[in-house]
Amino acid sequence: MADIVFISHGGGPLPLLGDPSHQELVDTLTTLSTQIKKPKAIIVISAHWEANHVRITHQKQPGLLYDYYGFPEASYAFKYPCEGAPELAEQIVEKLNAANITAELEEERGLDHGVFVPLTIMYPDADIPCIQLSLVNGLDPELHLKIGEVLTDTLAEDVLIIGSGFSFHNMRAFFSKDDPTHAQMNQSFEDWLVETCSGTNISEQDRMTRLQHWDEAPYARYCHPREEHLLPLHVCYGAAGRACDAVYSLSILNKQASMYLWSTPGY
């Protein structure tokens, strides 16, 4: 089984700009990269790419997509010169189509900030080939769980799967004043998510059902008015099919957030 990790990637380029409210994120991602075997390839499912069906980057030398606005000029000069993995992308497209999940290769789109920002922290040498996989319009939880199941049947143990989203993603709340009621809502959903991903007393069928119906969790739509930042987690669980091995709870932008690791046994 491949190593699998869901990360909360923070606000745009802020983790690379020394923003104090992202220091725990930087520390956690740095630690994470030392707790898993260095992969030979990485596939990232980012919250910042949605398409009519699954698309996967296919370039040998992917560029970057600076998909954020209003940040310092230095934010648009970041480089992450990793190689792509065209053959791996082709294998995944073939497997997804065979499973009746429409998938195509993407020849032009660069890696967005949900990819290059965390990878710059985790693997700053950019010496690991990387491809990006899109979410699918409609944001159907069950479909994204199935995509993960196909991935795990496709990938070797030396491939790292990263679901790059954010366990809390209410943009208005990030910029509102601290409020005990809102903090409790944030924490209630986090508690539910941690239990769902790590609870050993939950059957896998129940775990999958909880994720399929995530919007029934406490304050789900407060924490995720739109679910694109949560669905990379569904792909991760679909690939893992079991409780995670480690939970990382942290503060990002003064909100409670979490990350989850499913690690290869024996490392």
Side-chain angles (χ1 to χ4, degrees):
M1 170 182 147
D3 286 321
I4 303 165
V5 60
F6 172 79
I7 64 172
S8 292
H9 62 229
L14 290 174
L16 302 183
L17 295 173
D19 176 64
S21 68
H22 284 76
Q23 188 58 52
E24 287 188 44
L25 180 154
V26 172
D27 293 344
T28 301
L29 291 181
T30 301
T31 297
L32 254 173
S33 67
T34 68
Q35 293 178 334
I36 55 179
K37 182 179 179 181
K38 185 174 181 179
K40 294 183 179 178
I42 300 172
I43 177 167
V44 183
I45 304 93
S46 167
H48 292 280
W49 186 14
E50 299 173 38
N52 289 335
H53 46 257
V54 178
R55 299 189 68 84
I56 304 175
T57 55
H58 190 236
Q59 306 96 316
K60 291 184 178 179
Q61 301 289 336
L64 301 186
L65 178 62
Y66 304 107
D67 55 334
Y68 40 70
Y69 307 93
F71 290 96
E73 186 175 347
S75 305
Y76 305 93
F78 293 129
K79 304 297 182 187
Y80 196 77
C82 66
E83 295 182 357
E87 291 184 3
L88 178 58
E90 292 162 11
Q91 293 170 14
I92 295 171
V93 164
E94 181 180 353
K95 289 285 189 179
L96 286 168
N97 282 316
N100 295 316
I101 299 173
T102 303
E104 290 185 354
L105 298 170
E106 169 60 49
E107 306 293 349
E108 297 182 3
R109 190 184 193 275
L111 306 175
D112 63 48
H113 78 271
V115 181
F116 73 80
V117 170
L119 289 187
T120 296
I121 299 166
M122 296 176 73
Y123 301 107
D125 293 336
D127 57 349
I128 305 170
C130 179
I131 58 177
Q132 181 177 353
L133 184 150
S134 75
L135 300 177
V136 178
N137 289 344
L139 304 179
D140 177 19
E142 186 172 355
L143 173 60
H144 290 84
L145 288 163
K146 290 179 179 177
I147 291 169
E149 291 175 5
V150 175
L151 284 181
T152 198
D153 290 337
T154 305
L155 303 180
E157 289 185 3
D158 54 7
V159 177
L160 171 63
I161 300 173
I162 298 178
S164 181
F166 209 148
S167 67
F168 178 92
H169 198 257
N170 180 326
M171 293 299 293
R172 180 175 294 181
F174 283 131
F175 299 102
S176 63
K177 293 182 179 179
D178 291 341
D179 178 282
T181 300
H182 289 178
Q184 186 270 328
M185 294 161 70
N186 174 192
Q187 189 63 59
S188 293
F189 182 79
E190 281 293 315
D191 291 344
W192 176 88
L193 195 61
V194 169
E195 180 186 17
T196 297
C197 293
S198 66
T200 56
N201 60 339
I202 301 173
S203 72
E204 297 315 319
Q205 182 57 57
D206 286 347
R207 202 184 314 275
M208 183 170 289
T209 298
R210 287 167 72 113
L211 288 170
Q212 288 171 336
H213 301 284
W214 70 272
D215 56 348
E216 298 175 5
Y219 308 109
R221 283 298 179 185
Y222 167 74
C223 295
H224 292 278
R226 194 170 183 275
E227 55 265 48
E228 81 286 347
H229 273 72
L230 187 65
L231 287 183
L233 174 63
H234 289 65
V235 180
C236 289
Y237 174 72
R242 61 181 179 84
C244 68
D245 297 299
V247 176
Y248 304 83
S249 296
L250 63 158
S251 174
I252 305 173
L253 288 167
N254 301 314
K255 302 299 180 185
Q256 289 303 302
S258 48
M259 307 189 191
Y260 304 92
L261 170 65
W262 294 263
S263 57
T264 301
Y267 184 75

